Amino acid sequence: FGVLLCFATFCLIERAFDPGAMGRTFALTLCSMLALWFAVHGLIAFLKRPDERQSARLTQQLFPELGDRLLGAIEIATSDAAETNISPSLKKAALEQVASKASAYDFRSRIGAKQWRSPLIAALMVFAALVVFGVLFPRVFINSLNRFFAPFAGIARYTFVRLAPLPERAVV
């Protein structure tokens, strides 16, 4: 989202005035840092998935009566049968009972969808604005894109101004 917003802001600034090579470099650096931050944050969140006990503790916060049962079921499932003296059929029955109880709960009702919905809508709106800008003014969009990714290149700024040819003779 930050990368899209950064580029959209750059396109707006680019229409108002020429930010110069240093301004374009700053925008590109900021955008790159945001992209890197989101990539690292996403990778960490992906790799740091909760294990069974952490999931059961989260369930315990959402549904206290179910969380204790899940923790007990995890203890039964991960324990060695020789050290607990629990028969495999009893273990299976206990796990099936907890699974049937868990299927009766609506987990989606307790997890807030608003956490991700607002940023997603905002990112989609910025993306849609950029797409509309690109469709309505493709040459301007491509020019801004080129100037954004090559800040020190000598790419001329595209403007909407058309200069009429000068007359042969001007009377002052």
Side-chain angles (χ1 to χ4, degrees):
F1 171 68
V3 175
L4 289 175
L5 187 61
C6 185
F7 181 68
T9 305
F10 174 78
C11 286
L12 288 174
I13 290 172
E14 179 95 327
R15 294 307 99 224
F17 63 90
D18 187 4
M22 291 307 289
R24 292 191 300 271
T25 303
F26 175 75
L28 180 61
T29 304
L30 179 66
C31 216
S32 300
M33 289 172 61
L34 280 171
L36 181 65
W37 185 84
F38 279 115
V40 168
H41 184 71
L43 183 65
I44 289 171
F46 178 75
L47 293 177
K48 192 180 175 185
R49 291 181 180 237
D51 63 359
E52 295 87 9
R53 283 182 176 77
Q54 290 171 332
S55 297
R57 286 187 190 100
L58 177 62
T59 303
Q60 195 171 28
Q61 290 173 0
L62 299 173
F63 302 102
E65 63 280 358
L66 178 63
D68 291 333
R69 290 182 183 169
L70 281 177
L71 281 170
I74 290 169
E75 290 297 324
I76 291 172
T78 58
S79 65
D80 190 20
E83 68 184 41
T84 58
N85 293 330
I86 298 175
S87 69
S89 60
L90 182 60
K91 185 188 259 189
K92 182 179 177 185
L95 294 176
E96 287 176 356
Q97 181 183 16
V98 172
S100 69
K101 294 281 186 190
S103 66
Y105 288 87
D106 184 16
F107 287 88
R108 291 183 183 179
S109 67
R110 296 277 177 104
I111 296 175
K114 291 181 181 180
Q115 280 180 327
W116 56 268
R117 189 174 293 162
S118 297
L120 179 65
I121 289 172
L124 288 175
M125 288 175 57
V126 171
F127 181 72
L130 284 173
V131 168
V132 168
F133 179 66
V135 168
L136 292 178
F137 310 107
R139 289 176 31 198
V140 177
F141 182 79
I142 290 170
N143 180 265
S144 289
L145 206 59
N146 289 335
R147 286 172 54 88
F148 183 73
F149 285 110
F152 286 103
I155 302 169
R157 183 171 153 251
Y158 186 91
T159 61
F160 291 106
V161 176
R162 287 192 187 170
L163 297 176
L166 293 175
E168 293 288 325
R169 189 174 132 216
V171 178
V172 181

Short mmCIF file of all heavy atoms in Angstrom, two decimals, residues 90-139:
data_model
loop_
_atom_site.label_atom_id
_atom_site.label_comp_id
_atom_site.label_asym_id
_atom_site.label_seq_id
_atom_site.Cartn_x
_atom_site.Cartn_y
_atom_site.Cartn_z
N LEU A 90 -8.78 -44.59 23.11
CA LEU A 90 -9.23 -43.52 24.01
C LEU A 90 -8.70 -42.16 23.55
O LEU A 90 -9.42 -41.15 23.57
CB LEU A 90 -8.78 -43.81 25.44
CG LEU A 90 -9.22 -42.82 26.50
CD1 LEU A 90 -10.74 -42.74 26.58
CD2 LEU A 90 -8.64 -43.20 27.85
N LYS A 91 -7.45 -42.17 23.10
CA LYS A 91 -6.84 -40.94 22.57
C LYS A 91 -7.61 -40.45 21.36
O LYS A 91 -7.95 -39.27 21.25
CB LYS A 91 -5.38 -41.22 22.19
CG LYS A 91 -4.60 -40.00 21.73
CD LYS A 91 -3.24 -40.40 21.19
CE LYS A 91 -2.16 -40.17 22.19
NZ LYS A 91 -0.81 -40.34 21.63
N LYS A 92 -7.94 -41.39 20.46
CA LYS A 92 -8.69 -41.03 19.24
C LYS A 92 -10.07 -40.49 19.60
O LYS A 92 -10.52 -39.50 19.03
CB LYS A 92 -8.79 -42.25 18.33
CG LYS A 92 -9.50 -41.98 17.04
CD LYS A 92 -9.54 -43.21 16.17
CE LYS A 92 -10.32 -42.91 14.90
NZ LYS A 92 -10.51 -44.10 14.08
N ALA A 93 -10.74 -41.12 20.54
CA ALA A 93 -12.08 -40.68 20.93
C ALA A 93 -12.04 -39.28 21.55
O ALA A 93 -12.90 -38.44 21.28
CB ALA A 93 -12.69 -41.68 21.92
N ALA A 94 -11.02 -39.02 22.37
CA ALA A 94 -10.90 -37.69 23.01
C ALA A 94 -10.66 -36.62 21.96
O ALA A 94 -11.26 -35.52 22.02
CB ALA A 94 -9.77 -37.71 24.02
N LEU A 95 -9.80 -36.91 20.99
CA LEU A 95 -9.52 -35.93 19.93
C LEU A 95 -10.74 -35.69 19.05
O LEU A 95 -11.02 -34.56 18.65
CB LEU A 95 -8.33 -36.39 19.10
CG LEU A 95 -6.99 -36.43 19.84
CD1 LEU A 95 -5.90 -36.99 18.95
CD2 LEU A 95 -6.61 -35.07 20.37
N GLU A 96 -11.47 -36.75 18.74
CA GLU A 96 -12.69 -36.59 17.93
C GLU A 96 -13.74 -35.77 18.67
O GLU A 96 -14.46 -34.98 18.05
CB GLU A 96 -13.24 -37.96 17.54
CG GLU A 96 -12.42 -38.66 16.47
CD GLU A 96 -12.91 -40.05 16.15
OE1 GLU A 96 -13.87 -40.54 16.82
OE2 GLU A 96 -12.35 -40.66 15.23
N GLN A 97 -13.84 -35.96 19.98
CA GLN A 97 -14.81 -35.19 20.76
C GLN A 97 -14.47 -33.69 20.73
O GLN A 97 -15.35 -32.85 20.54
CB GLN A 97 -14.85 -35.70 22.19
CG GLN A 97 -15.87 -34.96 23.05
CD GLN A 97 -15.84 -35.42 24.49
OE1 GLN A 97 -14.91 -36.07 24.92
NE2 GLN A 97 -16.87 -35.04 25.24
N VAL A 98 -13.20 -33.36 20.91
CA VAL A 98 -12.79 -31.96 20.87
C VAL A 98 -13.00 -31.39 19.47
O VAL A 98 -13.45 -30.24 19.30
CB VAL A 98 -11.33 -31.80 21.33
CG1 VAL A 98 -10.84 -30.38 21.12
CG2 VAL A 98 -11.20 -32.18 22.80
N ALA A 99 -12.71 -32.18 18.44
CA ALA A 99 -12.90 -31.72 17.06
C ALA A 99 -14.37 -31.45 16.78
O ALA A 99 -14.72 -30.47 16.11
CB ALA A 99 -12.34 -32.74 16.09
N SER A 100 -15.25 -32.31 17.26
CA SER A 100 -16.68 -32.09 17.03
C SER A 100 -17.18 -30.86 17.78
O SER A 100 -18.01 -30.11 17.28
CB SER A 100 -17.49 -33.33 17.43
OG SER A 100 -17.46 -33.50 18.83
N LYS A 101 -16.64 -30.63 18.99
CA LYS A 101 -17.01 -29.42 19.74
C LYS A 101 -16.49 -28.17 19.03
O LYS A 101 -17.18 -27.15 18.97
CB LYS A 101 -16.45 -29.47 21.16
CG LYS A 101 -17.02 -30.54 22.02
CD LYS A 101 -18.35 -30.13 22.55
CE LYS A 101 -18.84 -31.19 23.54
NZ LYS A 101 -20.21 -30.99 23.93
N ALA A 102 -15.29 -28.23 18.49
CA ALA A 102 -14.69 -27.07 17.82
C ALA A 102 -15.43 -26.73 16.54
O ALA A 102 -15.51 -25.55 16.15
CB ALA A 102 -13.22 -27.34 17.52
N SER A 103 -15.98 -27.72 15.87
CA SER A 103 -16.69 -27.44 14.61
C SER A 103 -17.98 -26.66 14.84
O SER A 103 -18.51 -26.05 13.91
CB SER A 103 -16.97 -28.74 13.86
OG SER A 103 -17.88 -29.54 14.61
N ALA A 104 -18.47 -26.66 16.06
CA ALA A 104 -19.71 -25.93 16.36
C ALA A 104 -19.47 -24.43 16.55
O ALA A 104 -20.43 -23.65 16.57
CB ALA A 104 -20.36 -26.51 17.62
N TYR A 105 -18.23 -24.02 16.71
CA TYR A 105 -17.92 -22.61 16.97
C TYR A 105 -17.69 -21.86 15.66
O TYR A 105 -17.11 -22.40 14.71
CB TYR A 105 -16.66 -22.49 17.84
CG TYR A 105 -16.90 -22.90 19.27
CD1 TYR A 105 -16.76 -24.22 19.67
CD2 TYR A 105 -17.27 -21.95 20.23
CE1 TYR A 105 -16.98 -24.60 20.98
CE2 TYR A 105 -17.49 -22.32 21.54
CZ TYR A 105 -17.34 -23.66 21.91
OH TYR A 105 -17.56 -24.01 23.20
N ASP A 106 -18.13 -20.61 15.63
CA ASP A 106 -17.93 -19.75 14.46
C ASP A 106 -16.74 -18.83 14.74
O ASP A 106 -16.87 -17.80 15.39
CB ASP A 106 -19.20 -18.92 14.20
CG ASP A 106 -19.08 -18.08 12.93
OD1 ASP A 106 -18.18 -18.36 12.11
OD2 ASP A 106 -19.89 -17.15 12.78
N PHE A 107 -15.57 -19.24 14.24
CA PHE A 107 -14.35 -18.49 14.49
C PHE A 107 -14.34 -17.15 13.76
O PHE A 107 -13.78 -16.18 14.23
CB PHE A 107 -13.12 -19.31 14.08
CG PHE A 107 -12.83 -20.44 15.02
CD1 PHE A 107 -13.41 -21.68 14.86
CD2 PHE A 107 -11.97 -20.25 16.08
CE1 PHE A 107 -13.15 -22.71 15.73
CE2 PHE A 107 -11.69 -21.27 16.97
CZ PHE A 107 -12.29 -22.52 16.79
N ARG A 108 -14.97 -17.10 12.63
CA ARG A 108 -14.99 -15.86 11.84
C ARG A 108 -15.74 -14.74 12.53
O ARG A 108 -15.46 -13.56 12.32
CB ARG A 108 -15.60 -16.12 10.46
CG ARG A 108 -14.72 -16.97 9.60
CD ARG A 108 -15.31 -17.13 8.23
NE ARG A 108 -14.46 -18.03 7.45
CZ ARG A 108 -14.71 -18.38 6.23
NH1 ARG A 108 -15.77 -17.92 5.61
NH2 ARG A 108 -13.91 -19.20 5.60
N SER A 109 -16.71 -15.11 13.36
CA SER A 109 -17.48 -14.06 14.04
C SER A 109 -16.65 -13.33 15.09
O SER A 109 -16.93 -12.18 15.41
CB SER A 109 -18.72 -14.67 14.71
OG SER A 109 -18.32 -15.52 15.77
N ARG A 110 -15.60 -13.98 15.63
CA ARG A 110 -14.79 -13.37 16.67
C ARG A 110 -13.53 -12.68 16.15
O ARG A 110 -12.92 -11.92 16.86
CB ARG A 110 -14.37 -14.43 17.70
CG ARG A 110 -15.51 -15.05 18.45
CD ARG A 110 -15.92 -14.17 19.63
NE ARG A 110 -17.06 -14.72 20.32
CZ ARG A 110 -16.98 -15.33 21.49
NH1 ARG A 110 -15.83 -15.48 22.07
NH2 ARG A 110 -18.06 -15.80 22.04
N ILE A 111 -13.15 -12.99 14.94
CA ILE A 111 -11.94 -12.38 14.38
C ILE A 111 -12.37 -11.14 13.61
O ILE A 111 -13.20 -11.22 12.71
CB ILE A 111 -11.18 -13.36 13.47
CG1 ILE A 111 -10.69 -14.54 14.30
CG2 ILE A 111 -10.02 -12.67 12.78
CD1 ILE A 111 -10.05 -15.63 13.52
N GLY A 112 -11.82 -10.02 13.95
CA GLY A 112 -12.21 -8.75 13.34
C GLY A 112 -11.73 -8.64 11.90
O GLY A 112 -10.53 -8.60 11.64
N ALA A 113 -12.66 -8.57 10.99
CA ALA A 113 -12.31 -8.39 9.58
C ALA A 113 -11.92 -6.95 9.29
O ALA A 113 -11.31 -6.66 8.28
CB ALA A 113 -13.48 -8.80 8.69
N LYS A 114 -12.27 -6.04 10.19
CA LYS A 114 -11.96 -4.64 9.97
C LYS A 114 -10.46 -4.36 10.07
O LYS A 114 -10.00 -3.33 9.60
CB LYS A 114 -12.73 -3.77 10.96
CG LYS A 114 -14.21 -3.78 10.70
CD LYS A 114 -14.95 -2.89 11.66
CE LYS A 114 -16.44 -2.96 11.35
NZ LYS A 114 -17.21 -2.12 12.23
N GLN A 115 -9.72 -5.27 10.69
CA GLN A 115 -8.27 -5.08 10.81
C GLN A 115 -7.63 -4.97 9.43
O GLN A 115 -6.73 -4.19 9.23
CB GLN A 115 -7.64 -6.27 11.53
CG GLN A 115 -7.76 -6.23 13.01
CD GLN A 115 -7.09 -7.45 13.61
OE1 GLN A 115 -7.10 -8.52 13.04
NE2 GLN A 115 -6.51 -7.27 14.79
N TRP A 116 -8.06 -5.79 8.52
CA TRP A 116 -7.43 -5.80 7.20
C TRP A 116 -8.30 -5.16 6.14
O TRP A 116 -7.83 -4.81 5.07
CB TRP A 116 -7.09 -7.23 6.79
CG TRP A 116 -8.25 -8.17 6.80
CD1 TRP A 116 -8.66 -8.95 7.83
CD2 TRP A 116 -9.18 -8.40 5.74
NE1 TRP A 116 -9.77 -9.65 7.48
CE2 TRP A 116 -10.13 -9.33 6.19
CE3 TRP A 116 -9.31 -7.90 4.45
CZ2 TRP A 116 -11.17 -9.79 5.41
CZ3 TRP A 116 -10.36 -8.37 3.67
CH2 TRP A 116 -11.27 -9.30 4.15
N ARG A 117 -9.58 -4.99 6.40
CA ARG A 117 -10.49 -4.49 5.38
C ARG A 117 -10.21 -3.03 5.01
O ARG A 117 -10.16 -2.68 3.84
CB ARG A 117 -11.94 -4.65 5.83
CG ARG A 117 -12.93 -4.35 4.72
CD ARG A 117 -14.34 -4.65 5.12
NE ARG A 117 -14.49 -6.08 5.30
CZ ARG A 117 -15.49 -6.63 5.98
NH1 ARG A 117 -16.38 -5.87 6.55
NH2 ARG A 117 -15.57 -7.93 6.10
N SER A 118 -10.02 -2.17 6.00
CA SER A 118 -9.78 -0.75 5.72
C SER A 118 -8.49 -0.51 4.93
O SER A 118 -8.52 0.21 3.92
CB SER A 118 -9.76 0.04 7.02
OG SER A 118 -11.01 -0.04 7.65
N PRO A 119 -7.34 -1.10 5.34
CA PRO A 119 -6.14 -0.89 4.52
C PRO A 119 -6.28 -1.49 3.12
O PRO A 119 -5.75 -0.93 2.15
CB PRO A 119 -5.04 -1.61 5.30
CG PRO A 119 -5.54 -1.72 6.68
CD PRO A 119 -7.02 -1.76 6.59
N LEU A 120 -6.99 -2.59 3.01
CA LEU A 120 -7.18 -3.20 1.69
C LEU A 120 -8.01 -2.30 0.80
O LEU A 120 -7.67 -2.09 -0.37
CB LEU A 120 -7.84 -4.57 1.82
CG LEU A 120 -8.11 -5.30 0.52
CD1 LEU A 120 -6.80 -5.65 -0.17
CD2 LEU A 120 -8.92 -6.56 0.77
N ILE A 121 -9.07 -1.73 1.32
CA ILE A 121 -9.92 -0.83 0.53
C ILE A 121 -9.13 0.41 0.14
O ILE A 121 -9.21 0.88 -1.01
CB ILE A 121 -11.20 -0.47 1.31
CG1 ILE A 121 -12.11 -1.70 1.38
CG2 ILE A 121 -11.93 0.69 0.67
CD1 ILE A 121 -13.31 -1.54 2.28
N ALA A 122 -8.34 0.95 1.06
CA ALA A 122 -7.53 2.13 0.75
C ALA A 122 -6.51 1.81 -0.35
O ALA A 122 -6.33 2.60 -1.29
CB ALA A 122 -6.82 2.62 2.00
N ALA A 123 -5.85 0.65 -0.24
CA ALA A 123 -4.87 0.26 -1.27
C ALA A 123 -5.55 0.05 -2.62
O ALA A 123 -5.02 0.45 -3.67
CB ALA A 123 -4.14 -1.01 -0.84
N LEU A 124 -6.73 -0.56 -2.63
CA LEU A 124 -7.46 -0.76 -3.89
C LEU A 124 -7.90 0.57 -4.50
O LEU A 124 -7.88 0.72 -5.72
CB LEU A 124 -8.66 -1.67 -3.67
CG LEU A 124 -8.33 -3.14 -3.42
CD1 LEU A 124 -9.59 -3.92 -3.08
CD2 LEU A 124 -7.62 -3.75 -4.62
N MET A 125 -8.26 1.54 -3.66
CA MET A 125 -8.66 2.84 -4.19
C MET A 125 -7.47 3.56 -4.81
O MET A 125 -7.60 4.17 -5.88
CB MET A 125 -9.30 3.69 -3.08
CG MET A 125 -10.68 3.20 -2.69
SD MET A 125 -11.39 4.07 -1.29
CE MET A 125 -11.36 5.75 -1.83
N VAL A 126 -6.31 3.49 -4.16
CA VAL A 126 -5.10 4.12 -4.72
C VAL A 126 -4.72 3.42 -6.02
O VAL A 126 -4.39 4.08 -7.01
CB VAL A 126 -3.94 4.08 -3.70
CG1 VAL A 126 -2.64 4.51 -4.34
CG2 VAL A 126 -4.26 4.97 -2.52
N PHE A 127 -4.80 2.08 -6.03
CA PHE A 127 -4.47 1.32 -7.23
C PHE A 127 -5.44 1.68 -8.36
O PHE A 127 -5.03 1.87 -9.51
CB PHE A 127 -4.52 -0.18 -6.94
CG PHE A 127 -4.18 -1.03 -8.12
CD1 PHE A 127 -2.88 -1.11 -8.58
CD2 PHE A 127 -5.17 -1.75 -8.78
CE1 PHE A 127 -2.56 -1.89 -9.68
CE2 PHE A 127 -4.87 -2.53 -9.87
CZ PHE A 127 -3.56 -2.60 -10.33
N ALA A 128 -6.73 1.78 -8.04
CA ALA A 128 -7.73 2.14 -9.05
C ALA A 128 -7.47 3.54 -9.60
O ALA A 128 -7.60 3.78 -10.81
CB ALA A 128 -9.14 2.05 -8.46
N ALA A 129 -7.10 4.47 -8.71
CA ALA A 129 -6.79 5.83 -9.17
C ALA A 129 -5.60 5.82 -10.11
O ALA A 129 -5.59 6.52 -11.14
CB ALA A 129 -6.52 6.74 -7.97
N LEU A 130 -4.57 5.03 -9.80
CA LEU A 130 -3.42 4.93 -10.69
C LEU A 130 -3.78 4.29 -12.03
O LEU A 130 -3.30 4.71 -13.08
CB LEU A 130 -2.29 4.13 -10.02
CG LEU A 130 -1.50 4.87 -8.96
CD1 LEU A 130 -0.54 3.93 -8.26
CD2 LEU A 130 -0.74 6.03 -9.58
N VAL A 131 -4.65 3.29 -12.00
CA VAL A 131 -5.08 2.65 -13.25
C VAL A 131 -5.88 3.64 -14.10
O VAL A 131 -5.66 3.76 -15.31
CB VAL A 131 -5.91 1.38 -12.96
CG1 VAL A 131 -6.62 0.87 -14.21
CG2 VAL A 131 -5.01 0.29 -12.39
N VAL A 132 -6.78 4.38 -13.47
CA VAL A 132 -7.56 5.39 -14.21
C VAL A 132 -6.63 6.45 -14.79
O VAL A 132 -6.76 6.85 -15.94
CB VAL A 132 -8.64 6.02 -13.29
CG1 VAL A 132 -9.25 7.25 -13.91
CG2 VAL A 132 -9.71 4.99 -12.96
N PHE A 133 -5.66 6.90 -13.99
CA PHE A 133 -4.69 7.88 -14.45
C PHE A 133 -3.91 7.33 -15.65
O PHE A 133 -3.69 8.03 -16.64
CB PHE A 133 -3.74 8.23 -13.30
CG PHE A 133 -2.67 9.22 -13.64
CD1 PHE A 133 -2.98 10.53 -13.97
CD2 PHE A 133 -1.34 8.84 -13.65
CE1 PHE A 133 -1.99 11.45 -14.28
CE2 PHE A 133 -0.34 9.74 -13.96
CZ PHE A 133 -0.67 11.04 -14.28
N GLY A 134 -3.51 6.05 -15.56
CA GLY A 134 -2.76 5.42 -16.65
C GLY A 134 -3.58 5.23 -17.90
O GLY A 134 -3.07 5.33 -19.01
N VAL A 135 -4.87 4.97 -17.75
CA VAL A 135 -5.75 4.76 -18.92
C VAL A 135 -6.09 6.11 -19.56
O VAL A 135 -6.08 6.24 -20.79
CB VAL A 135 -7.02 4.00 -18.50
CG1 VAL A 135 -8.07 4.02 -19.60
CG2 VAL A 135 -6.67 2.56 -18.13
N LEU A 136 -6.39 7.11 -18.75
CA LEU A 136 -6.77 8.41 -19.30
C LEU A 136 -5.58 9.16 -19.90
O LEU A 136 -5.72 9.84 -20.91
CB LEU A 136 -7.42 9.28 -18.22
CG LEU A 136 -8.79 8.82 -17.72
CD1 LEU A 136 -9.29 9.74 -16.61
CD2 LEU A 136 -9.79 8.77 -18.86
N PHE A 137 -4.43 9.05 -19.26
CA PHE A 137 -3.24 9.78 -19.71
C PHE A 137 -2.05 8.83 -19.80
O PHE A 137 -1.12 8.91 -18.98
CB PHE A 137 -2.92 10.92 -18.73
CG PHE A 137 -4.09 11.80 -18.42
CD1 PHE A 137 -4.71 11.74 -17.18
CD2 PHE A 137 -4.58 12.68 -19.37
CE1 PHE A 137 -5.78 12.54 -16.88
CE2 PHE A 137 -5.66 13.50 -19.07
CZ PHE A 137 -6.27 13.43 -17.83
N PRO A 138 -2.05 7.92 -20.77
CA PRO A 138 -0.98 6.92 -20.81
C PRO A 138 0.41 7.50 -21.00
O PRO A 138 1.37 7.04 -20.38
CB PRO A 138 -1.37 6.01 -21.98
CG PRO A 138 -2.36 6.77 -22.78
CD PRO A 138 -3.01 7.74 -21.85
N ARG A 139 0.55 8.54 -21.83
CA ARG A 139 1.87 9.13 -22.05
C ARG A 139 2.39 9.80 -20.78
O ARG A 139 3.58 9.72 -20.46
CB ARG A 139 1.83 10.11 -23.21
CG ARG A 139 1.66 9.39 -24.54
CD ARG A 139 1.52 10.25 -25.75
NE ARG A 139 2.21 11.52 -25.72
CZ ARG A 139 1.93 12.52 -26.53
NH1 ARG A 139 0.99 12.38 -27.45
NH2 ARG A 139 2.58 13.66 -26.46
#
